[in-house]
Amino acid sequence: MAQHTFLVDMKEPLVPVIPMSHTAHIRSHRKPRRSASTLAMRAGVAGGVLSTLAVAGASGSANAAEPVTQTLELPTLTADLAAQAAQSADATQQAAANYQLQAERDTAAANAAKQAKADLADAKQKAAEAKKKAEEAARKAAAARASRSTARTTLSTSSDSGSTSTSTSTATGSVASVISFVKAQIGKSYVLGASGPSAYDCSGLVQSAFKQIGVSLPRVSQDQSTAGTQVSLSNLQPGDVLYWGSAGSAYHVAVYVGDGMFVGAQNPSTGIVEKPLSYDPPTGAVRVL
């Protein structure tokens, strides 16, 4: 069988080269010549085949290059995935921070509620104690008012019956000197701790009045309320020392001057004054002279 070799020139048309058989020189063995049209047709077929092969090769080359294009796009996809992962991580971290903040707020609110409850309980306890003290003070004040009312009634009854000495004319000697002294101090100022001559407190006035006749009395009202003989308010005499409060713990003293009157250094607003016993009824009296 004869072999056909095709020579390809990139610049000129393809021309088939047909080798001759070894018996071609024998006229009887020569193949009949083909016409020019047949040769041209074969050349065209060969060119088409080669063109098809060239196109297929180019297509194959193009297909072979396609993965490279896809490979070049991978970094972009990887960057997108990394960005999405970073955003997801940020969102997760923010959510965790929000949860932690909410937990801290809940804890703070619980502690505040607990402290408020404790403060409320403490306030209620203090209010109860204050109420108890107020009630006790009110009871003591009521008792003191009742005692003064009783004393006022006693003094009034005694004055009406004439059993109390109400005249200074009967005071003689030392008693007259004490009464004269305290009356001479009326109008002077009350100063706590003062003992004259321009100002006195209650016990300072009493001590100074008896000191000028040579009788020494204690300085404070608590001691002066027990310095002599206890006498009833219904049997008062001029010169007796009146006291307010109980004997031994008196908080105020004055001198009874007769006629139901007393002289004493009352307070900073009034100073030394002469007042009736009903003005501020005393709770007891002692007789020094």
Side-chain angles (χ1 to χ4, degrees), residues 119-135:
D119 292 343
L120 180 60
D122 185 56
K124 287 182 177 180
Q125 182 178 359
K126 290 182 178 180
E129 293 176 355
K131 182 179 179 181
K132 184 177 180 181
K133 290 181 179 180
E135 291 175 350

Side-chain angles (χ1 to χ4, degrees), residues 220-227 230 243-253 283:
V220 296
S221 59
Q222 291 90 338
D223 296 333
Q224 289 178 3
S225 64
T226 59
Q230 296 287 329
Y243 63 83
W244 285 255
S246 59
S249 60
Y251 58 86
H252 182 61
V253 290
T283 55

Side-chain angles (χ1 to χ4, degrees), residues 21-167:
S21 171
H22 63 280
T23 59
H25 63 282
I26 303 173
R27 187 174 296 272
S28 60
H29 288 278
R30 291 180 182 176
K31 293 181 179 181
R33 294 190 177 190
R34 296 175 175 87
S35 63
S37 60
T38 301
L39 293 175
M41 182 184 66
R42 286 188 175 184
V45 170
V49 170
L50 291 177
S51 299
T52 301
L53 292 175
V55 172
S59 176
S61 300
N63 291 334
E66 183 176 353
V68 176
T69 303
Q70 293 177 352
T71 303
L72 293 175
E73 293 177 355
L74 287 177
T76 303
L77 295 175
T78 303
D80 291 341
L81 291 175
Q84 292 178 1
Q87 292 177 357
S88 178
D90 291 342
T92 302
Q93 185 176 2
Q94 184 62 39
N98 292 338
Y99 289 145
Q100 182 178 0
L101 179 61
Q102 186 62 40
E104 292 176 354
R105 289 177 177 175
D106 292 342
T107 301
N111 291 337
K114 183 178 180 181
Q115 185 62 41
K117 185 177 181 180
D119 292 343
L120 180 60
D122 185 56
K124 287 182 177 180
Q125 182 178 359
K126 290 182 178 180
E129 293 176 355
K131 182 179 179 181
K132 184 177 180 181
K133 290 181 179 180
E135 291 175 350
E136 183 66 21
R139 283 194 295 269
K140 289 182 178 180
R145 286 194 298 269
S147 176
R148 290 185 180 185
S149 178
T150 301
R152 185 180 293 109
T153 301
T154 302
L155 289 173
S156 178
T157 302
S158 299
S159 179
D160 292 340
S161 63
S163 60
T164 301
S165 175
T166 58
S167 175

